[in-house]
Amino acid sequence: MDSIRITGGTPLNGTIAISGAKNAALPLMTCGLLTDERLTLTNVPKLADLATMAALLTQHGISVELHGRSITLGGAITNTVAPYEIVSKIRASFLVLGPLLARAREARVSLPGGDAIGARPVDLHLKGLEAMGAQIKLEGGYIEASAPDGLTGANIIFPFISVGATEHLLMAASLANGTTTLQNVAREPEITDLVKCLIAMGAKIEGIGSDTLIIEGVHRLHGATHEILPDRIEAGTYACAAAITGGRVFLENARAEDLGAVLAVLREAGVEVTELATGLVVERTKNLVGVDIVTEPFPGFATDMQAQFMALMTVAEGASMINETIFENRFMHVPELNRMGARINAVGASAIIRGVPKLSGAPVMATDVRAAFSLIIAALIAEGETTISRVYHLDRGYEAVEQKLAGCGAQIERVN
Ligand code: UD1
């Protein structure tokens, strides 16, 4: 198993190219099930999770061709079963259920189960598909679903905001009979990206970027080419990394409008962020100050940025408080950061971070993809050496981390 070794203390200076967004790429790949024609996605990041999704689509009968940073999907569905072995690896693979049901009128998809950051049920996905006429039962850990006459449009009001359920029902509704109205939908930039791709494939969707989407179902979708948007979480993550080291980094391709509240919070903490047409310049010349945050759906502060921001706050002046409202168990990085000298006290969904003058290197363990990077951020300014184990978590969501950080002067290496 690989680990990452970092010797802290070097300010990051240079350019980091932000890759395509993982959380957009995964649902976009499942759009390959919505048409027999060829769907080409460009600006595809090179990530372990995408290889897993490709394996799942392949066993459904879809051909997956990789050319550099493009993936072309095509072909007919030959198998409607999504096995536990794959779905349990990446939750987003559960999103194949709706497209399989819409196209093949039946599907057998493993329930994803919980994971390290929380129980993560899929009840909203299933209730939505049922409202669209699907018959659903649970058998041996698998969702067995059928819609012999196809899915039908429905009026669905989400009781709370879910990114995955919004994406799932959007795809299913695109091929349903009649009109579907989805209210209280997630407004994350990845949703807008998915809507754009579906429209390019011939879907009829109104309300893009708002909290209500109206989808007029069509009989078939066709092929298209779609460019995946830049990864806002990767951009925010490297912004925290640059800020903690007191460096200056150009985040090429990063888009301010996709970062929502994250940029305002960074600025409040003393980080300078300059918006250019081609990306963002992140620089810190003043001391960091503690800022309180609450994680919320977009455009609020993203839960996927919480661990990295916490790492930044460990060395800020004063205290900061973090309230995690999206996932119930997303503070697993706290004991690891504390092993490096941070003073964080987490109780329930809240954590208080009392800033310390310095961190010190230690052996630490990654528990999920964002927690893994929070340890890297801390290690970049810690005195001495930090070894981060279980970096397979990191590889799920960040492309070429060592190259991107070393290119800006970090002392980082992967150890086998
Ligand atoms: C997506 C992102 C993930 C991000 C999260 C919140 C992808 C591949 N993953 O995950 O990185 O952290 O959005 O921004 O895009 N919930 C239910 N029932 C449901 C669905 C969700 O109770 O049917 C709960 C979840 O447990 C969670 C909350 O709703 O507490 C939000 O989850 P959701 O927005 O659905 O997250 P994901 O789509 O799983």
Side-chain angles (χ1 to χ4, degrees):
M1 238 191 294
D2 289 358
S3 18
I4 280 185
R5 195 186 292 152
I6 294 176
T7 305
T10 319
L12 295 181
N13 278 299
T15 296
I16 292 176
I18 300 305
S19 302
K22 168 182 90 94
N23 284 354
L26 290 169
L28 285 167
M29 285 177 74
T30 64
C31 288
L33 292 165
L34 293 171
T35 175
D36 278 348
E37 293 183 18
R38 289 162 72 83
L39 172 65
T40 297
L41 302 172
T42 62
N43 196 30
V44 177
K46 292 193 169 73
L47 298 170
D49 273 11
L50 269 61
T52 309
M53 181 61 91
L56 179 63
L57 294 176
T58 305
Q59 67 90 51
H60 285 310
I62 305 297
S63 68
V64 181
E65 296 163 27
L66 246 174
H67 304 284
R69 297 215 158 253
S70 300
I71 290 185
T72 299
L73 309 160
I77 297 167
T78 54
N79 169 27
T80 55
V81 179
Y84 173 73
E85 294 68 37
I86 300 185
V87 182
S88 58
K89 274 195 206 162
I90 47 164
R91 297 182 53 82
S93 53
F94 188 68
L95 296 179
V96 299
L97 174 61
L100 287 173
L101 207 44
R103 287 288 309 295
R105 304 194 166 186
E106 58 165 37
R108 191 164 177 269
V109 177
S110 169
L111 262 184
D115 64 15
I117 63 173
R120 305 183 79 175
V122 286
D123 52 323
L124 298 187
H125 303 231
L126 298 177
K127 278 182 196 149
L129 291 171
E130 272 176 338
M132 295 174 77
Q135 286 147 30
I136 290 180
K137 60 179 180 173
L138 176 67
E139 197 70 56
Y142 279 71
I143 293 297
E144 292 188 353
S146 66
D149 303 320
L151 294 169
T152 46
N155 188 3
I156 295 162
I157 306 175
F158 291 109
F160 53 88
I161 291 174
S162 160
V163 172
T166 301
E167 292 167 343
H168 207 158
L169 299 186
L170 248 175
M171 290 190 282
S174 295
L175 282 177
N177 299 310
T179 302
T180 299
T181 305
L182 302 177
Q183 292 183 63
N184 197 24
V185 298
R187 289 181 289 154
E188 269 66 5
E190 293 78 19
I191 305 274
T192 300
D193 211 45
L194 175 63
V195 171
K196 284 182 184 163
C197 179
L198 288 169
I199 289 175
M201 294 171 75
K204 293 188 177 157
I205 305 171
E206 280 175 28
I208 188 163
S210 77
D211 64 1
T212 301
L213 293 167
I214 300 166
I215 306 110
E216 197 189 316
V218 294
H219 289 301
R220 60 181 294 276
L221 293 170
H222 51 71
T225 296
H226 175 82
E227 182 180 334
I228 299 171
L229 86 169
D231 196 319
R232 65 195 166 101
I233 304 301
E234 190 194 21
T237 300
Y238 283 114
C240 290
I244 204 165
T245 65
R248 184 179 195 278
V249 170
F250 174 53
L251 302 173
E252 191 178 1
N253 310 323
R255 303 196 311 207
E257 66 271 24
D258 292 345
L259 278 147
V262 169
L263 283 195
V265 168
L266 285 174
R267 286 178 173 134
E268 207 184 326
V271 184
E272 292 148 57
V273 184
T274 312
E275 299 171 26
L276 305 178
T278 49
L280 297 171
V281 179
V282 177
E283 184 175 18
R284 184 173 65 82
T285 51
K286 320 181 265 208
N287 285 350
L288 286 166
V289 289
V291 177
D292 297 346
I293 60 153
V294 178
T295 60
E296 283 174 342
F298 189 83
F301 192 98
T303 174
D304 285 352
M305 279 298 304
Q306 181 257 107
Q308 305 89 306
F309 186 73
M310 185 184 284
L312 183 64
M313 289 294 95
T314 58
V315 291
E317 277 173 11
S320 46
M321 180 155 175
I322 295 184
N323 264 299
E324 171 57 60
T325 70
I326 310 289
F327 292 112
E328 64 273 22
N329 189 26
R330 211 172 192 181
F331 283 146
M332 282 166 304
H333 40 286
V334 168
E336 301 302 304
L337 290 170
N338 283 346
R339 297 191 68 247
M340 299 175 72
R343 283 185 65 205
I344 308 167
N345 191 4
V347 180
S350 303
I352 284 197
I353 304 108
R354 296 183 176 88
V356 294
K358 68 176 182 69
L359 299 175
S360 54
V364 286
M365 199 183 281
T367 47
D368 68 74
V369 51
R370 308 303 167 190
F373 215 114
S374 77
L375 302 175
I376 292 186
I377 291 170
L380 287 171
I381 47 124
E383 273 180 7
E385 198 176 273
T386 299
T387 308
I388 301 159
S389 55
R390 303 202 177 167
V391 288
Y392 54 85
H393 289 295
L394 189 74
D395 298 333
R396 293 186 55 181
Y398 290 97
E399 180 179 339
V401 175
E402 306 95 274
Q403 289 87 333
K404 290 188 184 190
L405 285 173
C408 290
Q411 292 183 55
I412 177 169
E413 61 177 341
R414 186 174 284 249
V415 192
N416 195 274

